[in-house]
């Protein structure tokens, strides 16, 4: 074993006392003794051994399962080697003793390939062998390294479940590791657990306050065992790893009960599992959700109606269902009949009849709605309006004396109205039935344990955001143990509450554009979400970083709808049109759209109050060139800035367009950054 000492001395290290190695010294003891004598880590020592023997340092996190199968576990443990990778003619193995000729010969014999050696520290190599040949041992080591005990991670299922492995001894590490992951997720208030297989490693990530956070890595084989354990307690088929599966279970952790929804999907490496954690205690009343007073009062007003439709809208994960559950809890205190149709039922609500969607039994949103309307309900809660049939039945229910509550996936309150129309609802029927729409987002709250006042000397990033949003930030995030070093803990709901009025109904019935609907909604008391968010920044509850993350880049002080640049996008190509609309909205503009030249002219005849028009050159019915000429000939639109988009790439076309009165010219395909920059430049010129 003197080669270990030679490697250390060649590196120039000084020993406190020269280690005494003999023929009887074990390989493990030799590595530990030499590393300790020279006050270095085994990893550092391995690097010098590799240099001494002029071979590679082994990458133990990149082990190919095919290579492992070529060497029996008995051979690997006897000679303390781990196969790393293989090809047709050779196999690469990690060893802690490059002088062990017997090990090389044994692997060559069993694998039938020429052996290439790479060096690894003794203990790290042992951990690798355990991970790939005996995952239970690897899991035991992982648990020991994280200093956890069964009492720390006690998880008790409400129903008896089978063991994952064939014996209690084998299953115990799997159970402990699974329990540890569940316990850790609960401890940091995670909403979801992601068990993600990689090529060589598994990763466990938590979604906390809407943001993904890595919790730990583990050997891939250990992750697959944990996923199997999760499938068992969710009563899924552990033998079927080739199809997606969904299940549900209820567990008790540290005396608290949680519902968990489990979804698995096959990947190239192994199954991925996602666990949604549903805490019954999280289903709270409206007053406990943290909604701003102005918006809370308007929401309660909407719930005071005995008939009509109330919609809560927002992207996935914006707390729509939680808000409606709070409303249902408030209504349930009254002597009324409340029925829900959900997919899935997330929380049990006392005094409420809840129906679970089950397509296998032909229980859909539409069929369940038709059935419960014969159950004499006062309030009907629909988990989500997903299709035209459900939307029409919901409107019929509202028109026949029921209060209908539901959710949609749109970006804002006014957008939800347009979405209902796109689903086939008649404007004249929707206008009187709609009571209001709540647009919602969630934004992270500053950690009260570590946040500090914003210093007078602001960094460049903060200065940029303050200029963009037009407000001064009161406090900033720091990070501590309480918030997982993120600087944030918990979330604040941001709500804009549109209350339908006679004016709004009139505008909706006569097909007024979205901007006009937005203007009327704000005139009726609706505060835009961005305005609500900035209010929380000013009082020190969140930061401009969070506002930008959730709502996008700021464009100066918060503007009312009638103050924002209003742009008309005219294009018959849906791909280009949607791209243009999307990037303009994301930049902060208010956007209308027309699908061809004639539709654009019809719109401009009734409403010419636009800041700019983007115009496709080649369109059916009326070409972009004809639209350009008619706009310049009309007194109402003669001075309106126009940016032409075309696939034609020649100088003559550009010259002709400029002569006809175009303000700028862009070639397709559309580059989003260039497009926004040119639009802004034209608007600046028009303002001067």
């Amino acid at each position: 074993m003197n080669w270990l000492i030679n490697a250390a001395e060649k590196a120039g290290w000084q020993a406190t006392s020269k280690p005494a190695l003999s023929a009887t010294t074990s390989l493990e003891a030799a590595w530990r003794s030499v590393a300790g004598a020279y006050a270095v880590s085994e990893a550092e020592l391995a690097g010098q051994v590799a240099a001494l023997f002029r071979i590679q340092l082994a990458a133990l996190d990149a082990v190919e399962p095919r290579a492992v199968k070529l060497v029996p576990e008995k051979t690997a443990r006897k000679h303390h080697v781990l196969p790393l990778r293989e090809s047709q003619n050779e196999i690469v193995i990690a060893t802690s003793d490059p002088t062990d000729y017997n090990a090389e010969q044994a692997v060559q014999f069993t694998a039938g390939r020429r052996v290439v050696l790479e060096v690894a520290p003794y203990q790290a190599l042992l951990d690798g062998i355990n991970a790939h040949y005996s995952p239970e041992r690897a899991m035991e080591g992982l648990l020991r390294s994280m200093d956890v005990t069964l009492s720390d991670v006690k998880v008790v299922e409400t129903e008896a479940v089978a063991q994952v492995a064939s014996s209690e001894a084998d299953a115990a590490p799997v159970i402990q590791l699974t329990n540890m992951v569940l316990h850790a997720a609960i401890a940091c208030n995670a909403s979801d657990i992601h068990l993600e297989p990689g090529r060589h490693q598994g990763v466990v990530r938590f979604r906390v306050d809407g943001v993904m956070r890595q919790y730990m890595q583990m050997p891939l084989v250990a992750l697959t065992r944990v996923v199997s354990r999760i499938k068992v307690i969710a009563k899924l088929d552990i033998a079927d790893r080739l199809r997606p599966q969904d299940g549900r279970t209820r567990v008790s952790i540290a005396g608290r009960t949680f519902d968990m929804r489990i979804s698995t999907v096959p990947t190239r490496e192994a199954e991925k599992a996602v666990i949604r954690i549903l805490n019954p205690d999280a289903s709270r009343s409206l007053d406990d959700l943290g909604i701003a007073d102005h918006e809370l009062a308007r929401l309660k007003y909407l719930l005071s109606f005995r008939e009509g439709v109330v919609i809560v809208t927002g992207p996935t994960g914006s707390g729509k269902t939680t808000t409606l559950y709070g409303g249902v809890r408030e209504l349930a205190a009254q002597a009324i009949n409340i029925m829900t149709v959900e997919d899935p039922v997330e929380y049990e609500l006392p005094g409420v009849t809840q129906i679970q969607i089950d397509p296998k039994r032909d229980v859909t949103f539409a069929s369940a709605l038709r059935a419960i309307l014969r159950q004499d309900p006062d309030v009907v809660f629909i988990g989500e309006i997903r299709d035209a049939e459900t939307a029409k039945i919901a409107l019929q229910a509202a028109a026949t004396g029921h209060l209908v509550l539901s959710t949609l996936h749109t970006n804002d309150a006014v957008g939800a109205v347009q979405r209902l129309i796109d689903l086939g609802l008649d404007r004249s029927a929707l206008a009187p039935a709609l009571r209001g729409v709540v647009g919602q987002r969630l934004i992270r709250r500053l950690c009260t344990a570590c946040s500090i006042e914003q210093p007078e000397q602001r960094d460049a990033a903060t200065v940029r955001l303050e200029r963009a949003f037009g407000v001064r930030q009161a406090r900033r995030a720091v990070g501590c143990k309480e918030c997982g070093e993120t600087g944030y803990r918990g979330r604040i709901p941001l709500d804009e509450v549109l209350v339908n009025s006679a004016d709004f109904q009139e505008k909706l019935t006569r097909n007024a554009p979205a901007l006009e609907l937005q203007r009327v909604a704000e005139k009726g008391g609706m505060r835009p979400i961005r305005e609500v968010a900035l209010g929380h920044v000013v009082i020190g509850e969140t930061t401009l970083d969070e506002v930008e993350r959730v709502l996008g880049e700021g464009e100066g002080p918060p503007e009312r709808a009638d103050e924002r640049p209003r742009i008309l996008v005219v294009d018959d190509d849906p791909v280009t049109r949607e791209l243009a609309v999307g990037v303009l909205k994301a930049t902060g503009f208010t956007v209308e759209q027309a699908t061809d030249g004639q539709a654009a002219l019809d719109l401009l005849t009734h409403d010419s109050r636009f800041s700019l028009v983007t115009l496709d050159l080649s369109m059916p019915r009326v070409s972009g060139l004809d639209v350009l000429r008619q706009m310049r000939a009309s007194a109402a639109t003669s001075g309106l800035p126009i940016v032409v988009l075309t696939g034609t790439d020649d100088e003559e076309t550009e010259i002709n367009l400029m002569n006809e009165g175009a303000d700028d010219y862009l070639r397709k395909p559309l580059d989003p950054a260039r497009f926004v920059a040119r639009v802004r430049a034209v608007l600046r010129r028009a303002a001067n």
Side-chain angles (χ1 to χ4, degrees), residues 376-636:
D376 187 33
D378 297 291
V379 178
V380 178
F381 171 33
I382 307 169
E384 182 184 348
I385 295 178
R386 298 177 178 176
D387 52 47
E389 187 179 10
T390 304
K392 290 176 181 177
I393 297 173
L395 189 61
Q396 291 169 6
T400 54
H402 305 87
L403 179 62
V404 179
L405 312 176
S406 190
T407 69
L408 277 174
H409 285 87
T410 62
N411 290 327
D412 53 35
V414 172
V417 179
Q418 185 59 53
R419 173 62 177 157
L420 290 171
I421 294 169
D422 292 341
L423 286 172
L425 298 187
D426 183 75
R427 292 175 179 271
S428 60
L430 177 62
L434 183 68
R435 294 304 177 195
V437 183
V438 180
Q440 182 164 299
R441 295 286 202 284
L442 293 176
I443 195 167
R444 290 188 295 173
R445 185 191 300 272
L446 278 167
C447 176
T448 55
C450 65
S451 68
I452 61 173
E453 290 187 11
Q454 180 68 50
E456 284 300 318
Q457 279 297 107
R458 284 152 159 78
D459 57 58
T462 303
V463 171
R464 177 187 68 81
L465 289 171
E466 289 183 337
R467 288 175 177 172
F469 287 102
V471 300
R472 285 181 67 85
Q473 181 170 292
R475 301 184 70 81
R476 62 184 288 266
V478 177
C480 65
K481 185 178 180 181
E482 293 292 323
C483 60
E485 304 300 333
T486 63
Y488 302 90
R489 192 176 188 188
R491 287 188 286 180
I492 306 167
L494 307 177
D495 294 271
E496 58 178 18
V497 185
L498 188 163
V499 176
N500 196 0
S501 62
D503 194 12
F504 191 90
Q505 288 185 41
E506 188 270 329
K507 294 289 192 296
L508 178 57
T509 303
R510 71 171 180 84
N511 195 19
L515 178 65
E516 194 166 348
L517 294 177
Q518 182 79 15
R519 187 183 301 116
V520 174
E522 291 181 7
K523 185 179 178 181
M526 184 186 81
R527 292 198 303 164
I529 281 181
R530 194 169 77 124
E531 186 175 314
V532 177
L534 295 178
H536 288 288
V537 173
V538 171
I539 63 176
E541 290 186 331
T542 190
T543 64
L544 290 173
D545 286 309
E546 268 298 286
V547 176
E548 184 179 48
R549 183 184 69 84
V550 175
L551 301 180
E553 183 182 356
E555 290 291 327
E559 301 163 313
R560 312 300 292 187
D562 55 356
E563 297 173 338
R564 301 173 195 154
R566 184 185 177 208
I567 296 177
L568 174 62
V569 174
V570 186
D571 202 313
D572 67 307
D573 177 21
V575 176
T576 302
R577 188 175 66 251
E578 290 174 10
L579 174 61
V581 170
V583 297
L584 290 172
K585 281 187 174 181
T587 307
F589 297 114
T590 299
V591 186
E592 303 287 326
Q593 53 184 302
T595 56
D596 58 44
Q598 188 58 57
L601 291 172
D602 291 344
L603 177 59
L604 290 166
T605 300
H606 297 93
D607 183 7
S608 60
R609 292 171 297 177
F610 288 94
S611 304
L612 181 143
V613 174
T614 71
L615 187 62
D616 181 32
L617 190 60
S618 178
M619 292 186 293
R621 294 207 291 171
V622 180
S623 71
L625 183 59
D626 287 335
V627 173
L628 174 62
R629 288 168 174 168
Q630 291 189 48
M631 286 180 63
R632 291 297 180 243
S634 170

Side-chain angles (χ1 to χ4, degrees), residues 611-677:
S611 304
L612 181 143
V613 174
T614 71
L615 187 62
D616 181 32
L617 190 60
S618 178
M619 292 186 293
R621 294 207 291 171
V622 180
S623 71
L625 183 59
D626 287 335
V627 173
L628 174 62
R629 288 168 174 168
Q630 291 189 48
M631 286 180 63
R632 291 297 180 243
S634 170
T637 57
S638 61
L640 190 59
I642 300 173
V643 177
V644 177
L645 310 179
T646 179
T648 304
D649 187 11
D650 64 85
E651 187 177 349
E652 184 180 355
T653 299
E654 184 175 356
I655 293 172
N656 290 337
L657 286 170
M658 295 303 178
N659 288 334
E660 292 288 349
D663 294 272
D664 206 344
Y665 172 95
L666 275 172
R667 296 183 179 89
K668 294 182 179 180
L670 206 61
D671 178 81
R674 183 183 296 274
F675 174 58
V676 171

Side-chain angles (χ1 to χ4, degrees), residues 26-168:
S26 67
L27 184 61
E28 179 182 10
W31 273 85
R32 187 170 57 249
S33 177
V34 173
Y38 290 91
V40 297
S41 67
E42 285 196 11
E44 291 173 310
L45 181 57
Q48 293 304 316
V49 171
L52 178 67
F53 287 94
R54 298 183 179 181
I55 57 179
Q56 294 291 319
L57 193 64
L60 298 178
D61 59 347
V63 177
E64 295 179 354
R66 292 177 302 178
V68 174
K69 292 179 180 179
L70 293 175
V71 180
E73 180 177 1
K74 184 177 180 181
T75 302
R77 291 194 180 280
K78 179 181 179 181
H79 298 283
H80 198 68
V81 296
L82 176 64
L84 300 177
R85 54 192 181 275
E86 57 88 28
S87 64
Q88 186 175 358
N89 299 317
E90 65 182 28
I91 182 169
V92 181
I93 65 169
T95 179
S96 298
D97 185 358
T99 68
D100 190 350
Y101 179 74
N102 292 330
E104 187 175 345
Q105 290 295 104
V107 173
Q108 184 171 314
F109 177 78
T110 57
R113 290 166 170 80
R114 185 174 68 86
V115 174
V116 177
L117 300 179
E118 293 185 357
V119 175
Y122 184 91
Q123 187 57 51
L125 182 54
L126 179 61
D127 292 341
I129 294 170
N130 287 336
H132 292 280
Y133 285 106
S134 298
E136 289 76 23
R137 294 191 187 183
M139 286 183 275
E140 287 175 347
L142 186 62
L143 290 166
R144 284 195 302 271
S145 69
M146 302 189 74
D147 193 28
V148 297
T149 64
L150 275 173
S151 61
D152 293 326
V153 294
K154 185 178 181 182
V155 181
V156 182
E157 291 83 7
T158 56
E159 300 179 14
V161 295
Q163 298 291 338
V164 173
S166 59
S167 69
E168 285 191 18

